[in-house]
């Protein structure tokens, strides 16, 4: 889009994340469309790469009706993951480092090989080496966690941190596994992997296709977060969070007080 200062918008969003200070929505003010928003996202993540971080994967956003309803948008989106976003399973995060952190249970894939150019979308799942339960910590940099579709895309789909549980071979079916999100030992959300585009493997197909539109190809060894199986829950100081995915196991994190 002509006249949009993608670098300037990326710098503003990057500063918001660095200082845990929210900004107002930007898309309507600058006339940001979806393609240009992905350009801002690329510039935003490049700032992190320039500081020494490295890309380790991609993530999907808004792959469930619950998430779409929660944030008021209606299109599947994708974002980028860096090594600095990864938290060890069972590790601790500081809620004060974020603006309004929320957590959600997910399914993660580990890519075994680079999908071939022109490979049928339905065959991409054969590129998966392993699968794991996961938690994504999301943190919109916009005030009140409110945004339009271009806004959230520019903000790297609210990506902030993620936890991957133990990897295991991909089971025969991933389309209807029970999912729980527990906070301090109590069930906070109940869902199913069917909420992730009907089957998390479809999210992988979508992610490869959508990212490919912008010249991004997933790499062998990358992590892919398929999307949330439930609505997100605010992360309170001192909370212990655990995601449980049927057949896959658990992933957990703790928030410092």
């Amino acid at each position: 889009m002509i006249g949009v200062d993608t670098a300037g918008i990326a710098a503003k969003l990057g500063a918001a994340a660095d200082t845990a200070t929210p900004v107002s929505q930007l898309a309507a003010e600058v006339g940001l469309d979806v393609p240009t928003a992905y350009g801002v996202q690329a510039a935003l993540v490049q700032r992190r790469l320039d500081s020494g971080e490295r890309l380790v994967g991609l993530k999907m956003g808004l792959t469930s009706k619950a998430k779409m309803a929660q944030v008021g948008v209606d299109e599947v989106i994708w974002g980028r993951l860096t090594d600095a976003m990864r938290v060890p399973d069972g590790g601790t995060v500081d809620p004060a480092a974020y603006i309004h952190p929320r957590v959600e249970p997910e399914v993660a894939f580990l890519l075994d090989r680079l999908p071939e150019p022109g490979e049928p979308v339905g065959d991409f799942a054969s590129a998966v080496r392993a699968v794991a339960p996961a938690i994504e910590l999301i943190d919109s940099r916009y005030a009140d966690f409110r945004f339009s579709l271009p806004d959230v895309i520019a903000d790297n789909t609210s990506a902030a941190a993620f936890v991957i549980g133990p990897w295991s071979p991909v089971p025969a079916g991933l389309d209807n596994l029970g999912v729980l999100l527990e906070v301090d030992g109590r069930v906070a959300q109940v869902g199913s992997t069917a909420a992730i585009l009907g089957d998390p493997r479809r999210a992988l197909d979508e992610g490869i296709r959508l990212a490919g539109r912008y010249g991004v190809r997933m790499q062998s060894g990358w992590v892919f977060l398929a999307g949330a199986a439930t609505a997100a829950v605010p992360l309170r100081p001192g909370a212990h969070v655990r995601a449980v995915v049927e057949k896959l196991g658990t992933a957990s994190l703790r928030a410092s007080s």
Side-chain angles (χ1 to χ4, degrees), residues 10-252:
K12 189 172 184 178
L13 289 169
D18 293 342
T19 62
T21 304
V23 297
S24 58
Q25 294 184 38
L26 300 167
E29 177 184 338
V30 301
L32 195 65
D33 61 15
V34 167
T36 311
Y38 277 113
V40 174
Q41 180 190 122
L44 177 64
V45 175
Q46 188 61 48
R47 294 176 80 255
R48 301 181 68 118
L49 303 183
D50 290 343
S51 69
E53 297 179 30
R54 61 185 178 85
L55 282 177
V56 295
L58 300 181
K59 58 153 287 188
M60 297 297 284
L62 310 180
T63 51
S64 74
K65 291 181 179 179
K67 283 294 297 180
M68 290 182 185
Q70 187 178 35
V71 300
V73 296
D74 58 3
E75 184 175 307
V76 174
I77 56 178
W78 64 277
R80 296 159 165 92
L81 302 173
T82 75
D83 59 332
M85 297 178 187
R86 186 159 186 171
V87 176
D89 189 16
T92 300
V93 298
D94 180 7
Y98 307 100
I99 299 169
H100 24 221
R102 300 181 181 185
V103 288
E104 53 193 27
E106 301 215 9
V107 171
F109 293 113
L110 180 62
L111 272 288
D112 191 39
R113 64 174 176 81
L114 186 66
E116 295 297 327
E119 183 174 348
V121 171
D123 293 345
F124 282 147
S126 68
V128 174
R129 181 187 311 171
V131 64
I135 297 172
E136 186 179 8
L137 189 159
I138 57 173
D139 184 38
S140 173
R141 270 55 71 163
Y142 299 110
D144 303 320
F145 219 106
R146 296 176 61 84
F147 41 75
S148 67
L149 189 65
D151 278 317
V152 68
I153 290 170
D155 191 29
N156 195 28
T157 65
S158 305
F162 65 96
V163 175
I164 305 292
W167 293 108
S168 60
V170 181
L174 287 173
D175 57 333
N176 193 24
L177 303 180
V179 177
L180 298 177
L181 182 66
E182 299 175 351
V183 179
D184 295 331
R186 299 177 180 174
V187 175
Q189 291 283 334
V190 178
S192 165
T193 56
I196 307 171
L197 294 183
D199 186 324
R201 289 170 292 194
R202 291 180 185 161
L204 175 61
D205 290 347
E206 277 290 286
I208 291 172
R209 182 178 64 82
L210 294 173
R213 288 182 184 174
Y214 297 90
V216 177
R217 294 188 63 209
M218 279 184 266
Q219 306 295 314
S220 176
W222 274 17
V223 168
F224 181 85
L225 297 182
T230 73
V233 172
L235 181 65
R236 302 186 309 272
H240 179 261
V241 178
R242 191 171 77 130
V244 184
V245 183
E246 182 185 358
K247 295 185 180 180
L248 302 185
T250 66
S252 68

